[in-house]
Amino acid sequence: MEQGLEVALTDLQSSWNNVRHHTEEISSDRLLVRRGQAFNITLYFRKRGFQPGLDNIIFVAETGDSVYLDSEPQRQEYVVNDYGFIYQGNKNWIRPCPWNYGQFEENIIDICLELLDKSLNFQIDPATDCALRGSPVYISRVVCAMINSNDDNGVLNGNWSESYLDGINPAEWTGSVAILKQWHATGCQPVRYGQCWVFAAIMCTVMRCLGIPTRVITNFDSGHDTDGNLIIDEYYDSTGRILENKKKDTVWNFHVWNECWMARKDLPPGYGGWQVLDATPQETSNGLYCCGPASVRAIKEGEVDLNYDTAFAFSMVNADCMSWLVYGGKEQKIHRDTNTVGNFISTKSIQSDERDDITENYKYIEGSPQERLVFMRALQKLKARRSEGPHKADSQHSTAVPLNGDSPRSLHMPSLRPSDIVQVSLKFQLLDPPNMGQDIRFVLLALNMSLQFKDLKVNLSAQSLLHDGSPLPPFWQDTAFITLSSEEAKTHSCRIPYSQYSQYLSTDKLIRISALGEEKNSPEKILVDKIITLAYPGIMINVLGAAIVNQPLSIQVLFSNPLSEHVADCVLTVEGSGLFKKQQRVLIGVLKPQHRASITLETVPFKSGQRQIQANLRSNKFKDIKGYRNVYVDLRL
């Protein structure tokens, strides 16, 4: 009787396979393959060889293509690219923040697998958890919950308090690798601290490392609807100052989440593709702080009853804003705005440093019949499954004055009749770029669009904002008395000295200037506001000579103190996957007023191809002066 085959050795051909599966940067001696793609192994047998026709070998491998992107440029960008940009600022000043995702750096794959094993799902039922890990829907929810630490020993502690003495200010981070390695090195203790862009960046690293196409999305003027009625309630006092919201409904200046590409066999046909996942701990989903995956197409079509958390995601991009005037202990509904929430939804372009505006993926054009139809569909679906909150959303939609940039809106609209027409226009205009350390100069433009004489009193104020929309107390106020003849325009000049605003700034460097105008002997009020993001001069990075693998490379970093005062505790951090083995920290100490400085760092690149250097300068006066430089590293001379 012929003896059966006995395997003596299995050669997984890790090096050869990993190159073809684009995982060679992770390892060359461990087999790391992507599902849906062929790979080779070699079997060696004892005593005799394989005989075709006589011997049968059955090899069972369960794979799938539920995360397959058929575009090679998209695969390169959303799976392989290990650096990118996260967009911050405000809708009138969008700033790219460079980020080192570093998904192929040493030990990151093991840290990502450790993250899965530390999840509550694995701790409660390891067998079921492992059996479900082939599902991108399941795995994305697990990872989403593990990026924040609200329910478990997740990667990051969130902090929006402006007090970071026992950790790192979220604005200082420039990459994911240092955070993930710190979490691992401390026995999986949450790293302090993160905010939305840091949560999203870490999730991007983990998901790309696990082979799921992922990108980072920024939504400007992002709604946070806490009671699920698709209405963001904002409260103002008689000076136009925005008040802290008791319900915690807010419009975030910007908010950052992820999109992951996957099939959605759990949903009706047509809802696969890009899915929203938001690791920032805002609201719970099935008892855990995670959000998604919510189909982007379902969000656009108002199908808010589809899993997971689609209603919350819809409100982030397409909720309406309701303004309330607070006086004498009472609240009066005075204005409904349908256009404020969800602007310039942005992500990095494919294989380019440019910004892609993908707003049309999330919603139809604001104010169009389709957009309003979708909003009403979403609202009816929510009404069908739950009771309304204390401030009920009217089923009859009311038209509001469009808001473009800092256009005015009428607050005297209790009935919201079409005949209500704003007869006076107020608008802010900056006279200089809003640079940190300089006075802020601007004018208030007043235009009488009627044929009647107008006598106005205008209260002006300025207050700092956190990027999540939370207001800080006003630090500047002014009153203007403006008389306008028929169709006359006038300006009122304003200046806020640096010495006045510097001590009140938050890390986000956001200032909201507002004006509330009222006409003499008339109940009409006009509110206008403008959000200003103060800018720093960026860090300049020069690469001195050709970048070649395993050859020394000099990198010059030029930076300056933009302020007219001494700054202390200056620290420069520099990193870049494939260029530096770990984040470089250089203690600078004190920088004199307006002082320019430079340092030269030496490194040895260890990976070829397109790379990026990211840098950040912090001090006791500022936290996030940033810069970047793209570098192409050759294999040989």
Side-chain angles (χ1 to χ4, degrees):
M1 183 177 179
E2 192 70 43
Q3 187 176 12
L5 287 172
E6 183 180 355
V7 176
L9 178 67
T10 301
D11 179 5
L12 298 178
Q13 300 187 33
S14 299
S15 179
W16 190 91
N17 284 317
N18 288 5
V19 168
R20 282 147 187 81
H21 285 251
H22 304 285
T23 60
E24 74 277 11
E25 287 194 24
I26 300 177
S27 174
S28 60
D29 52 12
R30 295 167 63 186
L31 180 64
L32 294 162
V33 294
R34 302 188 185 278
R35 52 182 165 184
Q37 182 178 340
F39 62 96
N40 295 344
I41 64 172
T42 303
L43 302 178
Y44 295 90
F45 303 102
R46 288 191 179 91
K47 298 181 180 178
R48 71 176 184 83
F50 175 78
Q51 298 179 21
L54 175 65
D55 295 320
N56 241 350
I57 297 176
I58 299 175
F59 181 75
V60 180
E62 189 172 335
T63 64
D65 61 355
S66 54
V67 295
Y68 180 69
L69 267 173
D70 59 6
S71 163
E72 177 60 21
Q74 287 186 321
R75 291 196 294 267
Q76 288 294 322
E77 182 64 52
Y78 302 134
V79 179
V80 177
N81 198 1
D82 61 4
Y83 67 87
F85 299 102
I86 302 171
Y87 295 97
Q88 300 179 350
N90 67 68
K91 66 183 175 187
N92 299 313
W93 188 77
I94 297 176
R95 177 177 72 111
C97 174
W99 196 272
N100 176 26
Y101 296 120
Q103 67 267 31
F104 300 130
E105 291 299 280
E106 187 177 12
N107 295 329
I108 293 299
I109 182 68
D110 294 308
I111 294 173
C112 292
L113 295 174
E114 181 181 30
L115 182 147
L116 298 180
D117 290 347
K118 292 295 181 181
S119 73
L120 292 178
N121 301 56
F122 182 85
Q123 300 296 319
I124 294 169
D125 189 347
T128 300
D129 176 77
C130 290
L132 290 172
R133 287 186 182 181
S135 163
V137 173
Y138 175 80
I139 212 73
S140 64
R141 283 182 65 79
V142 170
V143 172
C144 191
M146 278 299 296
I147 299 301
N148 67 69
S149 61
N150 287 46
D151 308 296
D152 41 45
N153 281 342
V155 176
L156 273 170
N157 268 344
N159 187 340
W160 289 264
S161 72
E162 291 291 290
S163 176
Y164 311 108
L165 294 177
D166 57 346
I168 301 293
N169 187 312
E172 296 179 32
W173 298 112
T174 53
S176 305
V177 176
I179 295 171
L180 288 167
K181 288 190 172 182
Q182 180 180 328
W183 178 74
H184 168 74
T186 58
C188 305
Q189 292 302 305
V191 177
R192 300 171 178 170
Y193 289 104
Q195 290 183 9
C196 64
W197 67 93
V198 191
F199 289 110
I202 297 295
M203 181 147 187
C204 183
T205 296
V206 174
M207 298 302 275
R208 285 186 183 181
C209 186
L210 296 177
I212 298 176
T214 303
R215 58 189 186 181
V216 177
I217 309 297
T218 301
N219 178 38
F220 292 94
D221 297 330
S222 187
H224 182 183
D225 174 25
T226 58
D227 54 8
N229 64 353
L230 303 186
I231 300 292
I232 308 295
D233 295 293
E234 294 185 316
Y235 298 87
Y236 298 86
D237 68 9
S238 58
T239 69
R241 173 172 66 110
I242 194 167
L243 304 174
E244 187 171 1
N245 190 324
K246 299 186 295 294
K247 288 171 46 189
K248 302 303 180 184
D249 274 9
T250 51
V251 176
W252 294 37
N253 206 52
F254 68 89
H255 182 50
V256 185
W257 60 71
N258 298 100
E259 284 180 5
C260 297
W261 181 274
M262 65 186 73
R264 290 299 302 269
K265 297 176 182 177
D266 59 319
L267 299 183
Y271 292 100
W274 289 117
Q275 311 288 315
V276 167
L277 285 138
D278 188 351
T280 300
Q282 299 180 81
E283 306 293 333
T284 58
S285 173
N286 292 343
L288 295 178
Y289 278 94
C290 67
C291 178
S295 165
V296 172
R297 183 177 172 230
I299 295 168
K300 182 171 183 175
E301 300 299 336
E303 302 293 348
V304 295
D305 52 342
L306 297 182
N307 284 339
Y308 288 88
D309 310 305
T310 308
F312 186 77
F314 181 92
S315 71
M316 292 195 293
V317 301
N318 212 10
D320 284 358
C321 273
M322 192 79 76
S323 297
W324 300 81
L325 187 62
V326 179
Y327 63 98
K330 298 180 180 180
E331 299 172 2
Q332 179 188 358
K333 184 173 71 174
I334 45 178
H335 179 76
R336 179 167 176 165
D337 192 310
T338 67
N339 301 325
T340 295
V341 170
N343 291 290
F344 299 105
I345 303 175
S346 303
T347 193
K348 178 185 175 296
S349 295
I350 297 172
Q351 297 181 323
S352 162
D353 287 353
E354 298 302 310
R355 179 183 69 90
D356 266 356
D357 189 311
I358 59 169
T359 307
E360 65 176 9
N361 293 359
Y362 280 86
K363 58 183 181 179
Y364 294 98
I365 296 173
E366 282 287 2
S368 68
Q370 280 180 307
E371 184 268 337
R372 284 293 92 191
L373 181 66
V374 165
F375 182 89
M376 295 311 302
R377 177 188 301 143
L379 193 60
Q380 293 301 327
K381 285 177 178 286
L382 288 175
K383 283 182 177 180
R385 75 180 191 188
R386 63 185 296 272
S387 59
E388 295 178 287
H391 298 304
K392 296 185 179 182
D394 298 329
S395 59
Q396 293 297 318
H397 170 63
S398 304
T399 303
V401 180
L403 267 183
N404 295 316
D406 58 349
S407 301
R409 56 192 181 190
S410 172
L411 291 185
H412 180 56
M413 297 179 69
S415 61
L416 294 175
R417 297 189 307 272
S419 59
D420 288 327
I421 300 173
V422 179
Q423 296 185 326
V424 176
S425 165
L426 297 178
K427 184 177 182 179
F428 284 118
Q429 180 177 317
L430 290 172
L431 298 178
D432 307 300
N435 293 321
M436 179 64 74
Q438 299 179 6
D439 295 352
I440 302 172
R441 298 194 314 128
F442 59 96
V443 295
L444 178 69
L445 304 173
L447 171 64
N448 182 5
M449 296 180 288
S450 74
L451 299 177
Q452 288 80 38
F453 174 82
K454 297 290 182 182
D455 188 355
L456 299 178
K457 176 185 177 183
V458 183
N459 292 320
L460 300 101
S461 66
Q463 61 192 128
S464 287
L465 292 179
L466 305 185
H467 95 271
D468 66 358
S470 301
L472 300 180
F475 56 80
W476 174 88
Q477 291 181 318
D478 189 18
T479 302
F481 296 93
I482 303 172
T483 56
L484 296 169
S485 301
S486 171
E487 299 182 339
E488 183 183 12
K490 285 185 179 179
T491 62
H492 175 74
S493 298
C494 303
R495 188 174 96 172
I496 307 176
Y498 170 70
S499 59
Q500 186 168 359
Y501 72 74
S502 61
Q503 58 187 313
Y504 296 100
L505 277 181
S506 69
T507 302
D508 301 300
K509 306 179 295 298
L510 297 172
I511 292 177
R512 178 185 180 273
I513 53 176
S514 63
L516 185 70
E518 53 185 323
E519 184 184 351
K520 189 175 182 180
N521 301 321
S522 170
E524 181 176 344
K525 291 181 172 64
I526 308 160
L527 174 70
V528 63
D529 59 48
K530 187 178 187 70
I531 293 177
I532 300 169
T533 303
L534 292 160
Y536 291 119
I539 295 173
M540 296 291 294
I541 302 173
N542 296 320
V543 178
L544 308 179
I548 301 166
V549 170
N550 297 327
Q551 298 294 316
L553 179 67
S554 297
I555 296 169
Q556 182 188 45
V557 184
L558 300 95
F559 51 92
S560 64
N561 172 13
L563 307 181
S564 301
E565 57 183 314
H566 285 80
V567 295
D569 305 324
C570 297
V571 178
L572 179 73
T573 58
V574 181
E575 64 180 290
S577 289
L579 298 168
F580 299 95
K581 287 288 187 180
K582 64 178 182 179
Q583 187 183 72
Q584 308 295 300
R585 294 172 58 85
V586 183
L587 303 181
I588 306 296
V590 176
L591 284 175
K592 296 177 181 178
Q594 306 289 327
H595 181 67
R596 297 177 181 272
S598 72
I599 64 166
T600 300
L601 300 174
E602 303 292 333
T603 189
V604 178
F606 53 95
K607 292 181 180 180
S608 64
Q610 191 69 42
R611 302 290 163 190
Q612 188 184 81
I613 302 167
Q614 301 91 11
N616 183 76
L617 178 67
R618 77 162 199 215
S619 75
N620 64 332
K621 296 289 185 180
F622 49 77
K623 302 300 178 186
D624 61 339
I625 294 182
K626 297 192 184 292
Y628 74 94
R629 179 66 181 264
N630 292 341
V631 183
Y632 190 85
V633 181
D634 285 309
L635 269 173
R636 58 183 64 85
L637 286 168

